[in-house]
Amino acid sequence: MTRAVFLDRDGVVNRDHAYVHRWEDFEFVPGALDAARRLADAGFRLVIVTNQSGIARGYYTEAQYFALTERMCAVFERQGAPLAAVYHCPHHPAGSVVAFARECDCRKPRPGMILRAAAEHLLSLPESILVGDKLSDIEAARAAGVGRAYLVRSGNEASMPDIGTADAAYADLAQCVDALLHT
Ligand SMILES: O=P(O)(O)OC[C@@H](O)[C@H]1O[C@@H](OP(=O)(O)O)[C@@H](O)[C@@H](O)[C@@H]1O
Ligand SMILES: [Mg+2]
Ligand SMILES: [Zn+2]
């Protein structure tokens, strides 16, 4: 079984400008790609798990999300940090797009995306890590049985008062990986 780092997207990989769906608005958090490469070099599979309720809300289409994701994956690949997989939840119970307007098992804090990734990629969840910018990311990790869950302050929740059940909090992914890899 392989160990993975589950990465939240908005607020961890890229700046969370609220429902980012255009490539021109996709701004990598400084140091995030290099941190991802260091994780890959250390033997972690890289898996993104992202809530994309903007699809259910009608802010953008799933096709637009997939087009952005293809561009993002190509950058990770070029930087020597290939993504093993990207999982998204397009749902939201208050959505206006009928096909996606519902409760689901995949919207964080529910663990569905993480559990699906583990099954499809033979991942050891107890040996894996999650990095997120919201407490709901951390809760999803706990619900899935991910070994360690870290919070970063690079998202919109920068003023978050406490770290909830996270194992630790860091400024951003780069600082988290520095601590993880003792670099
Ligand atoms: O951080 P990840 O999971 O990668 O994606 C979060 C985004 O889908 C959006 O999630 C929304 O929350 P609601 O889904 O509306 O509760 C808001 O927080 C937006 O600012 C944010 O861009
Ligand atoms: Mg986020
Ligand atoms: Zn879902």
Side-chain angles (χ1 to χ4, degrees), residues 4-182:
V5 175
F6 295 96
L7 297 172
D8 172 63
R9 196 195 82 181
D10 296 297
V12 175
V13 171
N14 59 294
R15 291 290 186 213
D16 188 351
H17 296 308
Y19 306 101
V20 172
H21 59 280
R22 300 185 311 169
W23 184 243
E24 53 266 34
D25 297 327
F26 195 92
E27 179 192 357
F28 281 96
V29 173
L33 285 167
D34 180 65
R37 183 189 48 74
R38 288 186 284 147
L39 288 166
D41 290 348
F44 288 94
R45 302 291 301 282
L46 304 178
V47 178
I48 287 183
V49 287
T50 180
N51 284 352
Q52 290 299 318
S53 71
I55 296 168
R57 296 173 188 278
Y59 299 161
Y60 47 91
T61 65
E62 197 164 44
Q64 286 176 295
Y65 161 77
F66 284 130
L68 173 73
T69 301
E70 191 175 340
R71 303 280 300 259
M72 176 188 71
C73 291
V75 174
F76 271 90
E77 185 87 26
R78 279 200 306 273
Q79 295 292 323
L83 296 172
V86 181
Y87 292 86
H88 74 288
C89 165
H91 310 110
H92 194 285
S96 56
V97 178
V98 173
F100 301 107
R102 63 177 177 83
E103 294 285 354
C104 66
D105 294 332
C106 42
R107 175 177 165 79
K108 296 174 289 182
R110 293 195 176 109
M113 290 188 281
I114 298 169
L115 297 174
R116 185 177 154 207
E120 293 178 355
H121 296 272
L122 302 179
L123 303 173
S124 164
L125 290 175
E127 295 176 73
S128 293
I129 293 166
L130 176 136
V131 183
D133 73 308
K134 292 182 182 175
L135 294 182
S136 52
D137 298 323
I138 307 304
E139 289 161 35
R142 294 304 179 220
V146 174
R148 288 175 288 172
Y150 300 112
L151 193 69
V152 292
R153 306 275 188 204
S154 44
N156 288 337
E157 321 273 313
S159 59
M160 195 181 310
D162 70 296
I163 69 169
T165 59
D167 291 289
Y170 298 99
D172 54 26
L173 182 60
Q175 193 186 72
C176 177
V177 172
D178 286 346
L180 267 176
L181 302 182
H182 309 304

